Amino acid sequence: MALRRLAAPGAAAAAALCYDSDSGLCRAARTLGYGLLIGCDYKLGPASRQPAGSAEYKAALSATHERSARRLLALCQTHLGLYNKLGQYLSSMTIALPHEYTSVLAACQDRACSIPLSQVRTMIEAELGRPLETLFSSFGTEPVAAASLAQVHRAVTADTGEEVAVKVQYPRVARQMSSDLTTFRQLAKLVGWAFPDYGYGWIIEDFDAVALQELDFRLEAANAAKCASFFADWPRVHVPRTLPHLSTERVLTMEWIDGAKLDDPRALAAIGVRSADVAPLLTSAFAAMVFEHGFVHCDPHAGNLLARPMPTDNIGGHRRGQGHNQGAAAGGAQLVLLDHGMYRTLSEEYRRNYAELWVSLLAQDHAAGRAAAAALGIPPEDYEVLAIVLTFRPPTSRTPIGVAMSAAERAVLRQRYASVSASDVNAFLERLPREMLMVMRTWGLVRSLNRALGGTTRQRFLTMASYAVRGAMIHSRDSSMDGSGAAWRLPFRMLAAFVSSVWCGIAIWVAIARMRAQVSLELCVARMLHAGELARGTDGLLAPGVKQFG
């Protein structure tokens, strides 16, 4: 009844102010109107009139999700700016939101509306303090990319003649930031009040921190420089260099890179890049960030990643012949990391515990896995669900990681979790550490791109296993060199660390050997099979990226 009483005045307020999409009050009113409309659909719509759990209820609920997601998309595309960024963020939360929402809101990743050159000129001249013509000898009149918070123009610097990409923040974004974030918080509270089992306030809290980071391009430049330093010995990974004298809080100038998006197979083929070369490179780069460096690019969607043929010169200052990438001297592909506004720094303790968790899961060492999870703050009762979320199987499964579970195992899981509701999932996610949620979101985006590039689940896990072992073997310098303990303890600490690392290494490499043997066997079988029914009968075996529980 409360929603019914509020719906009419809420809709009237939204309609009265719907002609302005720029002011904070109008944006808040329209958001309230859409929120009430969506809420009423769930409370009073077709799904509410069906028996809970019935096939009719599930169909009606799915249709309600679809309608509500499209309304939310319309709101994001009307307001743009931070709303479009929120739509992008929600579309990547595949573990928390119904697939109708994530699939519909994926449209927020498309090219956004741009601002005219006159406004771009005004912003650049105000930020850099000089006329545009004195800064750039050539400046593209049309943006080459338009995102949620900024657009990018191709230009040539006036002083050195270097071809660059100039990222210019939309003037309205900073002005709307405070009111938009306040609106998001209030809407989350309203949802939590109307639907106690579906309080997504924790998502908005995480988004708040992310949005504030992305508004300061100086922080993005610092993140890019730090990321580039970590990949200095990786010829196959490149981070565009920034130009500090042409960059400020709201203008960022970077070297121009020609390349193709990872989700565009035709563009990749046109420049001579094989998707098969890019998939393992993508997983390797992000596994190194998570498990070794603890400094994670948390927005690896297709628009923020490019691939290009491996340059033959010493581009970007990379050193050849060393590092994690083998055969990098010539040929193959190079991965280019763009948009460094959204990063998460993992503490040394968290990074190592997270690496040990993955080592244990991939080696199927349950005792070590539970210990690592406990060190990360995961309650013991959540360990099995966490293992399913991360590896698509319970920790007690006898099926090797990366291999599709048997029908019998899937049936047991469905029965065990048949009564789990969306509110249970939401509560589980809310209990997880914020760092883990951000990293899980990153892995979800990487997994999606890996699949689009033709990579398999098994290949991805093999790569992650290698870096998880390295990460587990990296010990904090502070823990051994900070002088907190007596000097005589250091040799014993080193010995204990060595024994622990060897034990973890043996366990994981046994698992890797088993997985590699399976891959080699399947490849041999695949080569021997002729086209026809026999080949089609092995599709499930040779395509392990399929959904495990669908």
Side-chain angles (χ1 to χ4, degrees), residues 53-238:
S54 66
E56 294 79 8
Y57 171 79
K58 293 178 180 178
L61 183 61
S62 178
T64 304
H65 289 332
E66 181 81 16
R67 286 193 303 274
S68 300
R70 294 201 175 281
R71 289 165 180 154
L72 184 55
L73 174 63
L75 180 66
C76 293
Q77 292 180 333
T78 298
H79 286 173
L80 300 175
L82 206 58
Y83 277 78
N84 201 68
K85 191 68 182 178
L86 178 63
Q88 292 180 358
Y89 190 80
L90 294 177
S91 72
S92 66
M93 299 296 290
T94 54
I95 191 174
L97 300 175
H99 73 88
E100 292 89 351
Y101 278 90
T102 57
S103 60
V104 169
L105 291 175
C108 290
Q109 302 286 1
D110 296 340
R111 183 184 177 98
C113 295
S114 59
I115 59 175
L117 182 61
S118 59
Q119 293 185 34
V120 173
R121 174 188 290 272
T122 300
M123 173 67 79
I124 291 176
E125 293 180 348
E127 288 291 307
L128 297 178
R130 289 169 56 190
L132 184 68
E133 290 75 13
T134 66
L135 298 166
F136 303 99
S137 59
S138 173
F139 195 91
T141 57
E142 296 295 328
V144 296
S148 302
L149 308 181
Q151 64 190 50
V152 178
H153 288 258
R154 192 169 186 167
V156 177
T157 60
D159 53 355
T160 63
E162 180 180 359
E163 194 169 20
V164 294
V166 184
K167 183 177 180 180
V168 183
Q169 191 177 115
Y170 299 134
R172 64 179 181 271
V173 170
R175 183 175 68 251
Q176 296 166 344
M177 171 67 74
S178 178
S179 60
D180 283 352
L181 288 178
T182 298
T183 300
F184 296 160
R185 296 186 197 105
Q186 296 306 316
L187 183 62
K189 290 180 180 179
L190 179 62
V191 171
W193 169 75
F195 304 92
D197 291 337
Y198 298 90
Y200 290 109
W202 57 274
I203 295 182
I204 300 301
E205 289 177 8
D206 288 348
F207 179 75
D208 276 7
V210 165
L212 292 172
Q213 287 179 19
E214 292 214 51
L215 274 188
D216 190 344
F217 289 172
R218 296 170 300 185
L219 179 59
E220 180 175 346
N223 288 341
K226 186 173 182 179
C227 182
S229 70
F230 287 138
F231 288 107
D233 289 330
W234 288 54
R236 289 197 181 278
V237 175
H238 183 68

Side-chain angles (χ1 to χ4, degrees), residues 392 404 410 451 457 539-540 543-549:
F392 309 125
R410 291 198 297 271
R451 188 182 303 119
T457 301
D539 285 349
V546 297
K547 195 172 182 180
Q548 294 284 347
F549 309 113

Side-chain angles (χ1 to χ4, degrees), residues 95-96 202 424-434 437 440:
I95 191 174
W202 57 274
D424 295 325
V425 174
N426 186 52
F428 164 73
L429 294 173
E430 194 168 7
R431 291 194 296 270
L432 294 180
R434 300 300 93 180
L437 283 170
M440 285 170 64

Side-chain angles (χ1 to χ4, degrees), residues 157 159-166 220-229 237-247 252-257 308 314-318 336-340:
T157 60
D159 53 355
T160 63
E162 180 180 359
E163 194 169 20
V164 294
V166 184
E220 180 175 346
N223 288 341
K226 186 173 182 179
C227 182
S229 70
V237 175
H238 183 68
V239 177
R241 176 176 47 84
T242 60
L243 282 65
H245 68 292
L246 293 175
S247 300
L252 181 63
T253 304
M254 306 154 283
E255 65 170 312
W256 177 267
I257 300 292
R308 62 175 178 174
N314 193 23
I315 190 165
H318 290 299
V336 181
L337 306 177
L338 305 176
D339 197 343
H340 300 269

